[in-house]
Amino acid sequence: MVQYWLMKSEPDEVSVDDALAAPKATVPWTGVRNYQARNFMRDVMRIDDGVLFYHSSCAEPGIVGIARVASTPYPDPTQFERSSPYFDPASKQESPRWSLVDVQVVKKTRNLTLPEMRSIPGLADMLVLKKGNRLSITPVEAKHWRFITKLLGA
DNA sequence: GCCAACGTTGGC
DNA sequence: GCCAACGTTGGC
């Protein structure tokens, strides 16, 4: 069964435009260092799951594109790169701690901003809007996916 | 830059 | 296993 996700990226690191410019509009979702988010990628996601591409930690946080899960999980290479900010000295090649999936942008949309999302009653119970939420990957209910993709004409 | 909220670490 | 201290996220 296809599931839906919201995945946060800091546009200073990888924006939706950066992803679109990549080969096949596909980027490895590097840098996740939270176990819950990792478990979603490693254990739950399937190829073709729907993804809301979200810009965080920026001037106008919001959903900026529709994407899809484009690979099965594999070890995040940055955990082994000594020069990377995501280097994890405790992770071993033979038992990698951090996994990721590839994400392919299907369509860039207008920015459905965080304030606009908060203003829509039908979206109020989205996990990403819950107070104190810091999780960079959250599951999205089918009703929310349908509402948002329709709203964005995607 | 501030700070609320939450996750992780490590001593005990 | 508890929990204080610390670090990070991310909106504002």
Side-chain angles (χ1 to χ4, degrees), chain A residues 4-88:
Chain A
Y4 305 101
W5 308 92
L6 181 143
M7 299 177 77
K8 297 179 185 174
S9 183
E10 300 187 15
D12 287 350
E13 300 220 356
V14 182
S15 69
V16 68
D17 288 324
D18 294 334
L20 272 175
K24 297 181 182 174
T26 300
V27 289
W29 210 260
T30 53
V32 169
R33 295 295 179 267
N34 168 284
Y35 290 106
Q36 239 186 306
R38 178 207 65 182
N39 292 347
F40 285 142
M41 290 198 287
R42 191 189 63 182
D43 306 332
V44 189
M45 284 185 181
R46 297 290 179 265
I47 288 177
D48 274 336
D49 276 2
V51 173
L52 301 173
F53 196 114
Y54 181 95
H55 281 173
S56 68
S57 292
C58 58
E60 287 209 293
I63 293 165
V64 292
I66 306 299
R68 60 184 278 274
V69 174
S71 78
T72 52
Y74 61 97
D76 181 343
T78 63
Q79 70 195 302
F80 303 122
E81 293 167 8
R82 209 161 271 282
S83 62
S84 167
Y86 303 120
F87 177 63
D88 182 351

Side-chain angles (χ1 to χ4, degrees), chain A residues 94-145:
Chain A
E94 60 274 20
S95 58
R97 177 178 292 181
W98 305 108
S99 296
L100 53 65
V101 296
D102 289 341
V103 173
Q104 178 175 41
V105 177
V106 174
K107 185 176 190 209
K108 183 183 173 179
T109 64
R110 73 176 175 89
N111 187 351
L112 173 57
T113 66
L114 185 58
E116 185 177 353
M117 291 172 71
R118 290 197 192 286
S119 77
I120 299 170
L123 299 182
D125 54 339
M126 284 188 76
L127 285 177
V128 73
L129 300 183
K130 291 264 158 67
K131 183 179 176 184
N133 163 73
R134 297 187 314 162
L135 202 53
S136 66
I137 300 176
T138 47
V140 171
E141 292 179 45
K143 63 178 179 180
H144 295 142
W145 173 268

